[in-house]
Amino acid sequence: MSENIVDRIVAHAYPWDVLGDPEFVSRARELGVREVALAASYHSTRAATPLHPRHKVVDAHHAALYRPLRAEAWDGLAITARTASWAGSEDAFADAARLLNDAAIGVHAWIVLSHSTIIGHAHPDATVVNCFGDRYPYALAPGHPDIVAYARTLAAEAVRGVDLHGVSIEAAGQLGFAHVGPHEKTDGAYPGVGDALLSISCTARELEAWGARGVDADKTVAKLRDGVDALAGGTLSPSATITDVLSAEEADAVLAVRHADADTLRREVLSAVRTEAPDVRVTLHGHPDPWKTGPSPALTASAPTEVDAVLVSAWPGTAETVSVVQNTRALVGDDVAVGAYVSVLPPKKLDEVGAHVAATVAAGANELHLYHLGLVNRPQLDALGSIIAEYSS
């Protein structure tokens, strides 16, 4: 038993992992799992299911809400969620949650907000666009009014009528350039600062907002383009920073608009969730770097005050991910829980998992979030069990 204190251990799963597998719940119980973050809405994925008796691969080929679409909730909205045929039942999240609850396993609704390629292609004007005008269809613009309404309704419908212990909110902010997409061919093309430059969204609404903060938006866009081209041409170092490309005033305006959008999106979503489930515990996927985009976007100044826990991705077993946990703890203080999101999947070596988890706990994580009960084979499942045994109180 570790001397470091871990208050909560949450394992992650998809509804199709639970449904159709009569042994899933008993495996989880035997492992010591007492809480599960179960996907209620999720982006596209091709998921292995090594221990499931009926299937070994699930092709979740577009983002979906794993609840029925109720006309009274979605009618009149410009953007609506999609349903899925592969999840295991028409109300897969609620059905899987019921099985877990019946086994005294607390359920957290795992809700992904701004990541949906199918919606981005259908509504391109509601997506992130870079300084060259290239749109990212997987990245829904968090400040777009139709996306705010979509996310608010998605969250409310995800939790409606389900016995929940908590919610786990992913992508409550802007996704950026980096994306694990189909046959991704962008890795390393714009190293270092290039990701940050190409992740600055330059929609007309955002340019107008920059201008309202006293910044010449056209000049800012031109500087961003010049920075990307200089990086590609080898005249700007990948180790450069945003303020090597933009002035401090321009950078501040860009960041202020992005963070304001994230605040609006998060508050609308949390209000909707708490209306349906007033006492639910809130975990927010986040990152301490103010320029971070992605499924765990930058924590704004107010974000930690509005949630119970911040979940930090620590999948790679590196000193960098440990430092992210440490920086998050320093940012949120002692009153907000910090969860280390750890994985036993490749390229992680199973004999290195224990030391990495211990390092994240020593760095300030007082929760462990384990990825992933459905994706693992037996040796990987046993590795999850070892973590639970080590840190269970």
Side-chain angles (χ1 to χ4, degrees), residues 68-235:
L69 295 191
R70 299 188 309 134
E72 54 266 46
W74 293 100
D75 281 0
L77 294 186
I79 297 177
T80 62
R82 272 48 172 187
T83 56
S85 60
W86 57 82
S89 76
E90 183 181 2
D91 197 358
F93 171 71
D95 292 341
R98 190 175 304 110
L99 292 173
L100 294 168
N101 280 322
D102 288 347
I105 296 175
V107 176
H108 300 247
W110 181 11
I111 303 170
V112 178
L113 297 178
S114 64
H115 189 180
S116 174
T117 303
I118 190 170
I119 288 177
H121 279 301
H123 302 276
D125 289 345
T127 59
V128 170
V129 58
N130 71 20
C131 56
F132 289 92
D134 306 315
R135 289 197 175 271
Y136 302 153
Y138 55 85
L140 307 182
H144 193 289
D146 291 341
I147 296 303
V148 175
Y150 157 80
R152 180 177 61 237
T153 308
L154 183 81
E157 290 297 285
V159 304
R160 183 186 58 83
V162 181
D163 184 9
L164 293 176
H165 182 75
V167 294
S168 184
I169 306 294
E170 181 176 332
Q174 190 203 305
L175 272 71
F177 176 65
H179 180 245
V180 182
H183 296 273
E184 188 68 35
K185 302 296 182 182
T186 62
D187 291 350
Y190 309 100
V193 72
D195 180 84
L197 297 177
L198 285 169
S199 294
I200 293 174
S201 185
C202 301
T203 66
R205 185 191 60 80
E206 284 159 313
L207 299 189
E208 183 179 355
W210 298 350
R213 293 178 177 273
V215 166
D216 187 317
D218 290 338
K219 287 183 179 179
T220 302
V221 170
K223 286 184 177 182
L224 290 171
R225 291 178 175 178
D226 289 345
V228 173
D229 285 341
L231 182 68
T235 57

Side-chain angles (χ1 to χ4, degrees), residues 4-8 308-312 314 321-341 356-369 391:
N4 291 308
I5 296 174
V6 171
D7 299 321
R8 175 171 278 104
D308 300 290
V310 171
L311 182 56
V312 177
T321 62
V322 174
S323 71
V324 171
V325 173
Q326 187 173 32
N327 292 341
T328 302
R329 171 55 70 199
L331 181 66
V332 305
D334 296 331
D335 295 333
V336 178
V338 173
Y341 200 11
H356 177 59
V357 171
T360 65
V361 173
N366 60 327
E367 296 186 4
L368 295 174
H369 293 242
Y391 292 96

Side-chain angles (χ1 to χ4, degrees), residues 224-249:
L224 290 171
R225 291 178 175 178
D226 289 345
V228 173
D229 285 341
L231 182 68
T235 57
L236 178 68
S237 170
S239 62
T241 66
I242 291 287
T243 51
D244 291 320
V245 176
L246 301 180
S247 70
E249 292 75 17

